Amino acid sequence: MISIIGTGRVGSTIGFLCVSHALDDVLFVNADKEIAIGESLDIASAIPSSSKFSISATDDISQIKDSKIVVIAASVGVYTTDRAEHIDEQVKMIKSIAGDVKKYCPSAIVLVVSNPLDVLTYYFQKQSQFSRFKVIGIASSLDSSRFRYHVSDKLSVPQSSINDAFVLGEHGDSMVPIFSKVTINGDSLLSKISENDVDEITSSVRDYWKALRNHKSRSMFGIAKNVFDVINCIYASQEMTVSAAILLENEYGESDITMGIPVKINNNGVSEIVTIPINEKESELLKISASKIRHQILSVSTE
């Protein structure tokens, strides 16, 4: 079973993708049971006729028992200026969820989607004491998709021609697109763009969500598809390399923080941490990003 905690726009869209592709039974868990039921009834109409799976909804978190995957998309409120706006309340929420997940499905792979992503992934892992390879923050893969989109737009090339467009670090204003790794049909991206282009694309990737909100209230499809891709990979027993946030133990020179780095994911969760070469400028920016995440972690009220 795939349990999705939080059935707002993102959680419900993830559920829709899982149900319409007949991956497994899906359970929506939401504090407002009526919202969860409504979304499940709507999505039930998208169950393929060949599917043996169904969808249900509850406000009783104990129903997640024995889930293979738990997705956390819950939120205490909508952020408007910064993903860390409700950090204290969100950490309190994630600690409570971590206790329940540990109690009812201690073998689950946990995909954290709620913001501030890096901080919440950190506190979930610490509270649950799950293996760091089983608690995965899904957001840097979304940032990488946005990076690829802006490179495609800048050079007027199809996204399929762009390889290794990774974004590392915080899922926030200090995220670091890794230009030095990107190739276009085998050629280095940096050989095709200027320093001004680098700065422009970096700003566009970091501010993508702000630009999007000039046109709609908030995003859902991009992150839902990125989360679904990971879930599908796990169920298909395949392996994929993506940027995702996990607890670091001296990878990329950082320890005891959670931030986006390239990882390989298979049916057991993270199977390998991938070390990619980055240039001196990118390395410095990644240190700044890590420092910001560490500051956010330490800023959380323990009351």
Side-chain angles (χ1 to χ4, degrees), residues 25 29 44 120 143 173 176 204 210 220 223-224 234 236 266 292 294-295:
D25 292 315
V29 182
L120 296 192
D143 299 326
D173 293 341
V176 186
S204 295
K210 297 175 184 176
M220 56 185 179
I223 183 58
I234 292 169
N266 63 17
K292 182 180 176 184
R294 183 172 287 106
H295 175 75

Side-chain angles (χ1 to χ4, degrees), residues 103-115:
K103 179 178 180 180
Y104 296 116
C105 44
S107 297
I109 297 171
V110 179
L111 306 180
V112 181
V113 185
S114 305
N115 282 307

Side-chain angles (χ1 to χ4, degrees), residues 2-12 14-15 26-32 36 56 58-65 67 69-76 90 93-94 96-102 104-105 108-114 124:
I2 302 164
S3 290
I4 301 174
I5 302 173
T7 52
R9 298 185 184 197
V10 172
S12 60
I14 295 168
V26 171
L27 174 68
F28 280 165
V29 182
N30 200 70
D32 188 328
S56 57
T58 185
D59 58 357
D60 178 6
I61 201 165
S62 70
Q63 297 302 306
I64 68 173
K65 189 174 186 296
S67 296
I69 293 176
V70 175
V71 178
I72 302 173
S75 178
V76 300
Q90 288 286 86
M93 175 198 74
I94 207 77
S96 175
I97 293 172
D100 289 326
V101 174
K102 183 177 183 179
Y104 296 116
C105 44
I109 297 171
V110 179
L111 306 180
V112 181
V113 185
S114 305
F124 186 100

Side-chain angles (χ1 to χ4, degrees), residues 239-257:
E239 188 170 72
M240 66 187 301
T241 300
V242 296
S243 287
I246 70 166
L247 185 72
L248 300 185
E249 293 181 357
N250 207 34
E251 293 86 9
Y252 290 86
E254 301 294 341
S255 294
D256 199 34
I257 65 163

